[in-house]
Amino acid sequence: MAAPERDPACLFCRIIAGEIPASKLLETDEAIVIADINPQAPVHVLAIPRRHIPSAAHLTAADAQTLAGVIDAANTVARERGITATGFRLVMNHGSDAGQTVDHLHVHLLGGRVLGWPPG
Ligand code: AMP
Ligand code: ZN
C-alpha cells in the first residue's frame, strides 16, 4: 500500500505545511531542507521528502524519484554551504537502536568538521 502523502500529527508534515515554523533553506518539488534545531556539526541540516514516509525501512523501488529528490536537495545545500570539497556525511536513522526520534524520513547532512567513524 502506498504511504499516505501527509500525516496531520507528524512534526515534519506540519513544518512542510507551514503550520510549525522552521528555518527552511531549500524547497523543491520533492523535498525541503531545514536547519536542524540541535546541530551536531557546523553544517547540520535535514533533507525531508514532502511525502510522509515513516523511515528508510519503508522505502521501496517505487520511491526512487522521491529519494533521488531528497539526495539532490541535500547535495544542493552541501554545495551552497561549501562542504562538497571537504566532505560530508548523509545519515538516515531507522528505529530506536539508531535513535530515530521523528517518524518521517529525513536525511541528515553533516559537515564542516572532521566526523568520527564509526558513529556512536
Ligand atoms: P532523528 O533522530 O534521526 O529522527 O533526527 C531527528 C532530528 O530532528 C534531530 O536531529 C532533531 O534535532 C531534529 N528536530 C527535531 N525537531 C525539530 C524542529 N522543530 N526543527 C528542526 N529540527 C528538528
Ligand atoms: Zn510526516
Side-chain angles (χ1 to χ4, degrees):
M1 191 174 73
E5 294 295 311
R6 181 170 192 269
D7 176 347
C10 167
L11 173 64
F12 287 169
C13 284
R14 297 192 68 194
I15 286 174
I16 289 162
E19 296 168 6
I20 293 176
S23 175
K24 292 181 182 173
L25 306 172
L26 180 68
E27 299 192 62
T28 71
D29 287 348
E30 294 286 353
I32 70 164
V33 181
I34 66 171
D36 196 290
I37 205 168
N38 182 24
Q40 302 300 311
V43 176
H44 186 181
V45 306
L46 305 173
I48 307 169
R50 291 185 181 278
R51 294 175 50 226
H52 181 85
I53 299 169
S55 80
H58 297 256
L59 286 169
T60 72
D63 300 309
Q65 183 177 338
T66 298
L67 186 57
V70 171
I71 301 297
D72 187 52
N75 266 327
T76 298
V77 172
R79 283 192 296 272
E80 287 174 356
R81 298 294 296 271
I83 59 170
T84 303
T86 48
F88 57 78
R89 186 169 293 159
L90 300 179
V91 175
M92 281 188 273
N93 293 318
H94 163 70
S96 55
D97 275 4
Q100 184 180 9
T101 56
V102 180
D103 291 337
H104 179 134
L105 179 77
H106 49 281
V107 175
H108 296 255
L109 166 66
L110 295 145
R113 66 170 172 81
V114 175
L115 300 164
W117 190 265

